[in-house]
Amino acid sequence: ALALLPQPGFVLWTRPLILNHDFKYRGTAIFIADEEGILEALVTTIALEDVEAALVYFDHDAEAVVFTPTETALGQEGIRRRLQELFDAFRVTRFALRKVLPCEEGVRTQIDYAFQHRQSRETIDGVVRVIASFRDGKIIRWLEYQDAERVGAFMRLIARHKK
């Protein structure tokens, strides 16, 4: 859950508050989030294709490792570039949490996804598995496991699309 303390007193949301760069508030805001709430909010911002809102949930020094045809380690700026490239090339048609379970590193989850390539209109869907680690209400490490062969084959298919 996420709590906001705008003025004297407080309001408690049982579902995560999704922030974006247009968020306005009066007074001092203090955000207290559980790990599942952070993931739910992040997944929602990705479903909405909002890069800046998604970055709110990552620590400035966050590390993301994506296990696809090539392993990629990214800092926060790399995360921004990767999301922007994804949204430029693909329309998100589904991005939803399946389950969130505790693990030694933080939490592990499965995310159902479907992306439609904007130029070819080809769609890839499936499940990505993630292990996320947190500190002070922010994601500090994101390990994303994809089916590398399947993603690679799809990328070769859309590369053949005439522009």
Side-chain angles (χ1 to χ4, degrees):
L2 190 58
L4 172 64
L5 301 169
Q7 296 285 342
F10 76 100
V11 177
L12 176 66
W13 283 269
T14 59
R15 287 315 214 187
L17 174 66
I18 299 168
L19 303 177
N20 65 36
H21 54 279
D22 296 324
F23 179 73
K24 304 284 188 219
Y25 61 89
R26 290 194 314 251
T28 302
I30 299 173
F31 298 97
I32 305 165
D34 65 19
E35 294 168 349
E36 186 171 351
I38 293 167
L39 286 178
E40 287 177 353
L42 172 64
V43 164
T44 300
T45 63
I46 292 172
L48 295 172
E49 300 181 24
D50 190 334
V51 174
E52 295 307 314
L55 290 173
V56 166
Y57 302 100
F58 287 94
D59 185 79
H60 180 71
D61 297 322
E63 173 190 26
V65 180
V66 181
F67 300 97
T68 53
T70 59
E71 182 178 306
T72 309
L74 310 163
Q76 193 180 44
E77 284 307 309
I79 295 167
R80 173 183 275 116
R81 277 191 305 278
R82 182 172 185 273
L83 286 174
Q84 192 59 61
E85 289 169 3
L86 176 71
F87 299 151
D88 288 348
F90 293 90
R91 186 171 65 86
V92 179
T93 59
R94 184 176 65 249
F95 204 77
L97 284 178
R98 272 191 176 178
K99 2 171 131 171
V100 178
L101 299 169
C103 68
E104 189 174 309
E105 298 93 338
V107 296
R108 62 187 171 95
T109 187
Q110 298 174 355
I111 301 170
D112 281 320
Y113 70 87
F115 298 112
Q116 183 182 54
H117 186 244
R118 293 184 189 277
Q119 288 184 346
S120 70
R121 307 207 76 48
E122 293 285 346
T123 299
I124 186 169
D125 60 2
V127 177
V128 60
R129 283 149 177 87
V130 172
I131 296 174
S133 302
F134 299 83
R135 181 179 57 230
D136 300 328
K138 298 274 189 169
I139 298 167
I140 59 169
R141 189 155 195 222
W142 178 271
L143 302 176
E144 183 176 307
Y145 298 87
Q146 299 265 1
D147 181 338
E149 289 182 27
R150 187 167 185 268
V151 172
F154 181 77
M155 296 307 282
R156 288 189 302 277
L157 171 70
I158 63 172
R160 299 178 64 91
H161 177 74
K162 294 183 180 177
K163 296 177 181 177

